[in-house]
Amino acid sequence: MPSYIPEPFRIKMVEPIRLIPRDERQAALERAHYNVFNLRSDEVFIDLLTDSGTGAMSQAQWAAMLEGDEAYAGARSFHRFKAVMDEVFGFKHFVPTHQGRAAENILTATALKPGQSVPSNMHFDTTEGNIRARGGKPVNLVNQRAYDPGAHDDFKGNMDLEALRSFIEEEGTENIPFGMITITNNAGGGQPVSMANLRAVSEIYREFGIPFVIDACRFAENAYFIKMREKGYADKTPLEIAQNMFVLADGATMSAKKDGMANIGGFLALNDAEWFEKVCAELILREGFVTYGGLAGRDLDAIAVGFKEALEEDYLAYRVGQAAYLGERLLEAGVPIIEPPGAHAIYLDAASMLPQLEREALPGQALTVALFLEGGIRGVELGTVAFGYDDPESGAPIYPKLELVRLALPRRVFTQSHLDYVVDVLTEIKSKTGDLRGMRMTHAPELLRHFSAHFEPL
Ligand SMILES: Cc1ncc(COP(=O)(O)O)c(C=O)c1O
């Protein structure tokens, strides 16, 4: 096995990137209020902000886009999309949406009443935001090992089954309109969920009559981890494993900007016909007709091809190998990360890396800023800024258990030498972490603070 699995593609079109001088990076940060979401992308050298919609499409996807049928209703593109949806996901009903959060919005709009709770292993920020925006309570019940960055479990995204059962018994089924699980668990380090855990979660939800909805953004990566790590699946294809996963659920939300290998798109799928009727009404009101859901026909074609490419084994081996390579090299350099690496990102453990900074000094944000200043690298804080909030009763700040900076890997975009550069920059930052200053939030919206908060150095 080579230490780095070569990219299973060659480059046929290039997009220039450039490292601007340090004084320009400093000026850009000041102009951006130290929030990397406010940077211009041409100020960024290696953009690891997200793996969402930032991937490179294949020649087959671009070719499929030319076949896009832009008919308002019943387009050929929709039917090609539907054929792949039926094969891979197999739910009775679905609508395309323009991205994952649109699916979450419609899901919560049609099912959630104020005061109700939605359990999951860990909700991602937009899911959490959509639940809170409807007056609901997102509840994270991932197993406790997920909060130990050094724990080496194969499936650190697994739900704590006892906690799920107790939660349902205490809360009452009437207060839980649906339950979820996120595969892989993005907010907790991109960690996979095992088939055994998915099956057990499904059984618990079904025992209590609670519809089970999978946040399926990285379903192909999750399927590959099951193939590599779970007994009994080594000989199954990622497609077969995906089919085995979805048959356990009553519905799914999806951002096709991840394992759809596309730059835009998503879907909401459900088995229940009555619920689906409400979904269609909401979709038509806000997104578009049920056969395009806010997308162009060509987007549906790109995603249909993308779903199948995401399940190809040589692609998945390279994808998982890339994250493993970056993770190993960072650990060798003494940079603390969430272990073991997932597939779509490396998560830096900012709390361990900058122990001199209290949580209120926002170590994750400080590290995010340092990455850009030192090397023109853009990551994202997933810690106090993204997941912290003020207690509605006391006003006291509530800190999430993990203080992370995510370096997401866009699909099929960067090569091994880009990853080596990231390691070099982090090694340099590691050698002078004592000099890093904390940050203060000077402006923050109530929900999804990391997207638009302003900061200044302490
Ligand atoms: C696990 C998870 N769920 C939901 C979403 C939301 O998807 P989108 O960005 O397409 O709205 C994301 C995207 O970052 C995600 O990672």
Side-chain angles (χ1 to χ4, degrees), residues 377-414:
I377 298 166
R378 176 155 67 171
V380 65
E381 194 264 15
L382 290 180
T384 300
V385 180
F387 293 110
Y389 57 96
D390 293 336
D391 186 78
E393 273 148 38
S394 68
I398 309 282
Y399 298 113
K401 289 193 184 145
L402 295 169
E403 182 74 17
L404 305 174
V405 173
R406 186 186 69 184
L407 303 178
L409 299 169
R411 292 166 181 76
R412 305 186 288 207
V413 169
F414 292 117

Side-chain angles (χ1 to χ4, degrees), residues 120-122 142-143 154-161 180-186 190-202 212 214-215 218-219 221-227 229-230 233 241 245 248:
S120 186
N121 50 351
M122 280 173 101
V142 73
N143 74 91
D154 283 345
F155 292 102
K156 269 171 96 176
N158 280 358
M159 186 95 88
D160 179 337
L161 300 170
M180 297 188 75
I181 201 162
T182 313
I183 58 171
T184 59
N185 181 18
N186 189 3
Q191 299 293 323
V193 178
S194 70
M195 188 71 83
N197 193 257
L198 282 168
R199 196 172 297 117
V201 167
S202 165
F212 175 25
I214 295 180
D215 177 337
R218 297 178 182 83
F219 74 97
E221 293 171 3
N222 201 88
Y224 191 68
F225 279 118
I226 289 175
K227 181 178 170 69
R229 296 181 181 172
E230 193 165 352
Y233 291 93
I241 296 171
M245 298 188 310
L248 299 169

Side-chain angles (χ1 to χ4, degrees), residues 86 172 204 214 232 249 253 268 290 306 340 346 400 402 439:
D86 291 349
I204 294 176
I214 295 180
T253 56
L268 170 59
V290 294
I346 290 296
L402 295 169
M439 305 292 298

Side-chain angles (χ1 to χ4, degrees), residues 50-52 98-104 122-127 182-187 215-218 253-258 264-266 344 406 451:
T50 176
D51 63 322
S52 179
H98 78 271
Q99 61 183 86
R101 71 198 69 183
E104 293 163 358
M122 280 173 101
H123 293 284
F124 195 60
D125 58 6
T126 56
T127 329
T182 313
I183 58 171
T184 59
N185 181 18
N186 189 3
D215 177 337
C217 290
R218 297 178 182 83
T253 56
M254 172 85 196
S255 168
K257 299 170 76 171
K258 283 79 169 180
I264 197 71
H344 78 286
R406 186 186 69 184
F451 288 110

Side-chain angles (χ1 to χ4, degrees), residues 378-453:
R378 176 155 67 171
V380 65
E381 194 264 15
L382 290 180
T384 300
V385 180
F387 293 110
Y389 57 96
D390 293 336
D391 186 78
E393 273 148 38
S394 68
I398 309 282
Y399 298 113
K401 289 193 184 145
L402 295 169
E403 182 74 17
L404 305 174
V405 173
R406 186 186 69 184
L407 303 178
L409 299 169
R411 292 166 181 76
R412 305 186 288 207
V413 169
F414 292 117
T415 62
Q416 184 179 9
S417 62
H418 292 118
L419 302 185
D420 288 339
Y421 172 81
V422 172
V423 174
D424 290 346
V425 170
L426 271 159
T427 307
E428 177 69 19
I429 294 174
K430 174 82 178 43
S431 71
K432 49 185 182 191
T433 44
D435 302 345
L436 288 195
R437 290 156 74 188
M439 305 292 298
R440 175 175 36 227
M441 222 179 312
T442 54
H443 158 81
E446 202 183 323
L447 294 170
L448 298 171
R449 306 195 287 198
H450 51 308
F451 288 110
S452 42

Side-chain angles (χ1 to χ4, degrees), residues 149 336 349-355 403:
D349 180 0
S352 309
M353 195 160 165
L354 308 179
E403 182 74 17

Side-chain angles (χ1 to χ4, degrees), residues 8-29:
F9 49 82
R10 55 188 179 188
I11 296 166
K12 147 144 102 175
M13 190 187 287
V14 296
E15 180 181 4
I17 50 175
R18 186 171 79 92
L19 180 62
I20 59 171
R22 188 185 175 96
D23 59 337
E24 289 180 30
R25 302 200 291 275
Q26 177 62 45
L29 276 172

